[in-house]
Amino acid sequence: MSGRPSITRREALALALGTIATTAATTTAATVAGAQEAVTAPTEAPPVPKLGEELTPFGAIRAGNRTRAIPAWTGGLTRAPRGYVPGRPSPNPYIEDGRWFTVGPNDVERYKIRLSAGLQALLAKHPDSFEVPVFPCRRSAAAPQAVYDASLENAGRAALGNNGLVLTGARVGVPFPIPANGVQAMWNHLLRWRGTSLTRTGQTILPSATGALDSRLYREDVAFPYAAGEESGRPLLYRRTTLMPKEQEGSVLLAQATLNPIQSGFRAWFRQGERGRVVPAPDFLYDTPDPATDGIATADMLDMFSGPLDRFDFTLVSRREMYVPYNAYRLNTAGLAPSEFMWYGHPNPQFLRYELHRVWIVDARLKPNFQHALPDRTYYLDEDSWQIVMAEHYNGKGELLRYAEAHNVAHWQVPAFLPAVEFVHDLTTDRYVARGIDNLQRPPIFDKPLKPEEFTPESLVRRGRRG
């Protein structure tokens, strides 16, 4: 079933503005235009919550909510789940949780305040097959104590310059645990803790109307110099190598992020096949279609959002309690074949898990004199990890065209919290793409030493000659 989403961008933002939580930790200086009319200012300012006390070191509200549907944060998942066997994939730590309730197409009005515009669109688009299974909230996101300590220190030393494009003073942890604006919140996502390095092999899959699954296999090697405490100015080094299909085997995309695009910008290179010529790929940015997804996702949708922050004005709208994808252990079950949960149009909801969590909402609007195929966005950032868990992408008319979700799991042994699978839905068709599926692969490897020279164009030349 095709059609327009059941909620417009204007309506979605009105919901966010009209439901700003009353907790002092949720109040920020930034609002979108007209917010002053939508929200009445308190007559007396509440006391400012203290980072590391009322707030966690990442700036999340430590306490549970009024109804206790969201529990207090107690440090996240940092111990092996029951039944864990060394050398084997980690079992589901919440396997005994029963489904709390289900939100179907007929329940949207009742739960509208908790549903993103993207989830409402999926429910409207697939009324006979899609639903939102809601489970108990488990605040499993965790990080090492050294990262928490660095985040507390960053709160007093991190700074932004050049209209938010240049970050200085931050090290290792979240740069802005108490964000004052949307740019700071987005920097928190870009620099969130994921270990010092990550190597994983995963499938990118596009289901077709015939039931066939177009599958591609990639290996991703990612180094996080910022998280390792290095002052290279390159917070992320990324390499994506094609393993399948055979005709594309050995093709490599290489990217280098930056903390200071004024001094040293984002860089990317591409090599076609094992022995292809290495060419600069400066256009793998912004709304360039990502060929790995057949153009369903754009380059800046990688990792839910990546790349420079220069083309958008980011506004911090509110912190809100919403149903979001979380603790996707069933979806990430070892040995579970993609054919068992990848339906045409959307994944099988029996394998999905949504929970009630607090999320920061960031509104992104294209700056004047810039171009982008999807000029308006809404991002939902998990308060416990700063991971973007949902993202909506609109055209210039305010029509919702793409909706993305990150279904995350907590890797207790690091500890770190990151996506097991990312879905990007094209709401103008029945097409969607899933990437990062590693159920049939070895678990991700964290903190493996990766040298900076492994992420240079020269390394691709050497690899090609040896291949």
Side-chain angles (χ1 to χ4, degrees):
M1 175 181 175
S2 299
R4 294 183 59 182
S6 60
I7 183 172
T8 66
R9 188 164 190 271
R10 183 186 295 271
E11 293 170 338
L13 286 175
L15 273 175
L17 287 168
T19 56
I20 296 178
T22 57
T23 305
T26 68
T27 59
T28 64
T31 55
V32 298
Q36 292 85 352
E37 298 177 3
V39 182
T40 302
T43 56
E44 183 178 346
V48 177
K50 294 183 179 180
L51 195 63
E53 296 180 12
E54 294 96 333
L55 303 181
T56 73
F58 279 4
I61 300 171
R62 187 181 294 270
N65 67 350
R66 181 178 56 82
T67 64
R68 299 183 182 179
I70 297 176
W73 183 79
T74 57
L77 184 66
T78 58
R79 296 182 180 179
R82 186 174 59 185
Y84 171 68
V85 177
R88 295 184 181 181
S90 184
N92 181 355
Y94 309 121
I95 193 170
E96 295 181 0
D97 285 355
R99 185 185 295 203
W100 192 9
F101 60 92
T102 301
V103 180
N106 296 328
D107 304 313
V108 169
E109 285 301 318
R110 179 180 179 184
Y111 297 106
K112 200 170 188 176
I113 198 171
R114 306 289 187 212
L115 298 171
S116 66
L119 272 178
Q120 293 182 46
L122 285 181
L123 288 167
K125 189 176 180 63
H126 305 285
D128 298 325
S129 56
F130 186 72
E131 60 187 18
V132 179
V134 181
F135 287 76
C137 173
R138 302 287 190 176
R139 297 178 71 175
S140 58
Q145 186 60 47
V147 178
Y148 291 141
D149 293 341
S151 299
L152 293 173
E153 295 175 3
N154 286 342
R157 67 188 179 191
L160 292 178
N162 292 86
N163 295 320
L165 298 182
V166 179
L167 175 67
T168 58
R171 292 186 66 255
V172 180
V174 171
F176 303 103
I178 304 179
N181 53 57
V183 176
Q184 292 185 358
M186 296 303 287
W187 271 111
N188 287 347
H189 166 77
L190 291 173
L191 298 178
R192 70 198 187 280
W193 170 255
R194 287 164 284 177
T196 58
S197 72
L198 170 65
T199 296
R200 62 184 177 189
T201 301
Q203 291 177 275
T204 294
I205 295 180
L206 296 96
S208 70
T210 64
L213 300 180
D214 180 357
S215 177
R216 300 120 189 238
L217 189 65
Y218 298 94
R219 186 183 72 246
E220 293 179 300
D221 297 283
V222 195
F224 305 103
Y226 170 87
E230 301 174 15
E231 297 183 0
S232 65
R234 296 286 180 187
L236 179 145
L237 304 173
Y238 178 81
R239 185 173 66 234
R240 183 174 73 192
T241 305
T242 304
L243 304 180
M244 289 178 55
K246 184 70 175 177
E247 60 270 19
Q248 298 178 21
E249 183 180 2
S251 296
V252 178
L253 172 69
L254 195 69
Q256 300 177 352
T258 180
L259 295 176
N260 189 338
I262 308 300
Q263 186 178 68
S264 180
F266 177 94
R267 298 175 181 175
W269 296 267
F270 182 73
R271 187 189 70 198
Q272 180 68 47
E274 287 282 359
R275 299 181 180 274
R277 186 166 62 93
V278 180
V279 297
D283 58 345
F284 192 74
L285 281 170
Y286 310 118
D287 58 352
T288 299
D290 186 345
T293 68
D294 276 2
I296 293 177
T298 56
D300 58 5
M301 290 185 195
L302 186 67
D303 191 32
M304 298 299 285
F305 176 83
S306 59
L309 297 166
D310 58 336
R311 291 201 176 181
F312 288 85
D313 289 318
F314 296 95
T315 301
L316 194 60
V317 179
S318 69
R319 177 158 30 188
R320 181 170 148 202
E321 298 175 3
M322 300 186 70
Y323 300 135
V324 301
Y326 223 92
N327 292 315
Y329 293 97
R330 188 174 187 188
L331 189 66
N332 196 224
T333 300
L336 180 69
S339 59
E340 297 183 63
F341 61 86
M342 292 289 289
W343 285 358
Y344 178 64
H346 61 81
N348 182 347
Q350 296 301 313
F351 290 91
L352 305 182
R353 176 174 177 138
Y354 295 82
E355 300 177 6
L356 183 67
H357 284 260
R358 300 186 191 99
V359 293
W360 291 101
I361 302 177
V362 173
D363 173 61
R365 298 198 177 204
L366 190 68
K367 293 180 178 180
N369 302 321
F370 283 103
Q371 292 185 342
H372 197 291
L374 300 165
D376 293 329
R377 278 100 176 273
T378 303
Y379 294 103
Y380 303 84
L381 293 77
D382 170 42
E383 70 164 351
D384 286 333
S385 64
W386 289 103
Q387 165 72 48
I388 294 176
V389 289
M390 302 181 295
E392 295 149 1
H393 304 268
Y394 298 80
N395 64 12
K397 299 179 181 180
E399 298 169 333
L400 181 57
L401 302 187
R402 299 287 191 277
Y403 173 59
E405 289 186 338
H407 292 251
N408 303 274
V409 297
H411 296 268
W412 54 268
Q413 68 276 27
V414 182
F417 185 77
L418 65 157
V421 184
E422 291 180 17
F423 295 109
V424 181
H425 297 267
D426 180 353
L427 296 173
T428 66
T429 69
D430 284 327
R431 302 181 70 214
Y432 74 107
V433 61
R435 49 187 174 186
I437 299 175
D438 64 358
N439 305 42
L440 304 180
Q441 312 299 324
R442 292 181 178 179
I445 299 173
F446 294 89
D447 300 330
K448 171 185 175 183
L450 296 173
K451 299 178 180 180
E453 52 265 31
E454 297 181 61
F455 298 89
T456 63
E458 291 76 17
S459 72
L460 298 186
V461 174
R462 291 196 299 271
R463 288 172 180 271
R465 289 174 180 171
R466 285 202 305 266

